[in-house]
Amino acid sequence: GREVWRGLHRVAPLVLVVCMVHFFTALEHHLYMTYLYSRVRCCDGSVGNHLSTEWDVTDPPLVESMRLEARAMGVVLHEVDGRIGACDMPSFPRSSSLWTMSARCNNKAFVEDSAQNVKSNMLTTKKMLCLFVAPLVGATSDFFGRARVLQVCAAVLVA
């Protein structure tokens, strides 16, 4: 009985850290990405916010899907030669699979690309910081002990 408790006591900090990392990764995906999507702006008339033709919708099945969805909403879709301009897309409701999750940009491809670019830059920065912080945490844990440093790191992660 005692040996089991001693073993659990040794493993508990590791389990705590793994659970916290999993929890914060899930939060990052569900909250942070949604926030990033909501901040993207385009086609609002301000300087530099007009999208180039590379963001036009040209894929026939997607154009047809947009056409049907717009017709169901009672909106006229502006298309030229089976192409929908990047800034000519209607604002689809939340219930639609074509909803962009941004109140300021109706081009789903641009919104997704912009948010994913920000996230990839942040992940790169996070990895670079870990590269420098890990040796410092290792040296600190050698001096103060693993358990104390693990508890401080867990507290910092939660804060």
Side-chain angles (χ1 to χ4, degrees), residues 25-39:
T25 302
L27 274 180
E28 181 180 36
H29 177 71
H30 292 289
L31 294 178
Y32 183 63
M33 282 305 289
T34 304
Y35 172 76
L36 284 179
Y37 276 68
S38 71
R39 307 312 306 160

Side-chain angles (χ1 to χ4, degrees), residues 100-112:
T100 65
M101 291 196 278
S102 174
R104 297 183 177 111
C105 184
N106 295 335
N107 190 304
K108 188 173 184 174
F110 181 77
V111 170
E112 289 174 345

Side-chain angles (χ1 to χ4, degrees), residues 2 4 9 11 20 36-37 79 107 120 136 144 146 149:
R2 274 189 164 199
V4 171
H9 183 70
V11 175
M20 285 191 311
L36 284 179
Y37 276 68
E79 66 179 282
N107 190 304
S120 68
L136 295 174
F144 291 107
R146 288 185 200 159
V149 172

